[in-house]
């Protein structure tokens, strides 16, 4: 694990929860790693990084803004 001053920063917005969280993380963190840390099943959300829809294997970079949007099911 890197020292605190070597960690990168990102902002995560949980759209349906209206929750915003700033998070320190190590390099090469993927979207799926964030979702696992937050205990969010991949199949239940759409994720955007800096406004662009991405897949779970996308790597998050320093100062990225990550939006987690819950998918609403219905019939």
């Amino acid at each position: 694990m890197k020292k605190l001053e070597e960690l990168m920063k990102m902002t995560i917005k949980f759209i349906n929860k209206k929750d915003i969280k700033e998070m320190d993380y190590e390099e090469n963190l993927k979207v799926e790693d964030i979702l696992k840390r937050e205990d969010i099943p991949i199949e239940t959300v759409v994720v955007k990084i800096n406004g662009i829809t991405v897949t779970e294997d996308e790597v998050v970079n320093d100062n990225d803004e990550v939006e987690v949007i819950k998918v609403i099911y219905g019939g």
Side-chain angles (χ1 to χ4, degrees), residues 55-68:
T55 61
E56 67 268 8
D57 59 342
E58 187 75 27
V59 174
V60 180
N61 296 304
D62 199 18
N63 294 313
D64 275 349
E65 182 176 278
V66 179
E67 294 177 86
V68 179

Side-chain angles (χ1 to χ4, degrees), residues 27 29-30 32 46 53 73:
E27 288 184 61
L29 186 74
K30 293 182 179 182
E32 71 178 317
V46 172
T53 304
Y73 299 94

